[in-house]
Amino acid sequence: MEEQIRHPAPHRPGSPVRSGIPEHGRIPKYYAVKARIADLLDELGEGGALPTERDLAERYEVARETVRQALRELLLEGRLRRSGRGTVVAGPKLEQPLSLASYTEGVRRQGRRPGRHLIGLERFPCPPELAPGIGAGAGEPVWHLERVLLADDERVGLESTYVRVARAPRLDVDFQPDSSFYGYLRDSLGISFGDADEKLETVLATPREALLIGTPPALPMLLIHRFSRDRDGRPLERVRSLYRGDRFSFTTRLRPE
């Protein structure tokens, strides 16, 4: 069923043109309800408790399934989050720069407390497909460091780092797993980053990844592959970082070539 809705004015910069309403003016009923709930979220403010599905259905005179569909989209967009048995208004997304700054530095700049939870640190012979990205020979010992990313104790991502054992021989002894790996390379080993290649794509988490991050498997994720080099241009590390699409956005500054 569709509902007529008037063109909202004025248009907010950064929001969809005409709030996503097609030129013919007809939109699904759930979308109209979603827009009204979004206005309610602005009134409630961050951390505010959302009324129950039943209350919202009565307020907007629609079926509960219509409300449920609207809430699903607001959850996926990061406007809402689950809290216990209820739903509350979520805070703003974390903005992570696309730069050689570490995750720790990016989160701290926004007044949040970064953290990491160690899943595993293992050493194994480098497979041929991994070797070029980290400057290793096939079969050479490499480290794999896997950690859950935290922001104010909230699980927001999963990070896998691969580096040659020869570049960080005492990683399993000297490195604090909840600290910045870049800081460790810089301060303890004197290794400075030069540049990196990154690829950003949207994916769904695997069942294992969703369990570690604590999200539904259907939640869209932002995946970054990074190949870093040191100041001398030598391959240094490969990182696979998976970020919650409802809690992260990425920023960069573009310059003319």
Side-chain angles (χ1 to χ4, degrees), residues 198-213:
E198 285 193 337
K199 181 175 75 171
L200 175 63
E201 58 185 312
T202 305
V203 299
L204 296 178
T206 66
R208 176 181 180 271
E209 291 167 336
L211 182 63
L212 289 172
I213 302 172

Side-chain angles (χ1 to χ4, degrees), residues 146-162:
E146 185 179 36
R147 298 179 292 175
V148 172
L149 302 174
L150 307 172
D152 292 339
D153 296 324
E154 178 186 13
R155 290 179 285 176
V156 294
L158 184 66
E159 181 183 76
S160 288
T161 302
Y162 301 87

Side-chain angles (χ1 to χ4, degrees), residues 238-253:
R238 174 179 177 177
V239 182
R240 182 184 188 276
S241 300
L242 195 64
Y243 297 93
R244 287 175 53 170
D246 64 333
R247 301 304 300 132
F248 269 91
S249 63
F250 288 86
T251 62
T252 188
R253 175 173 292 180

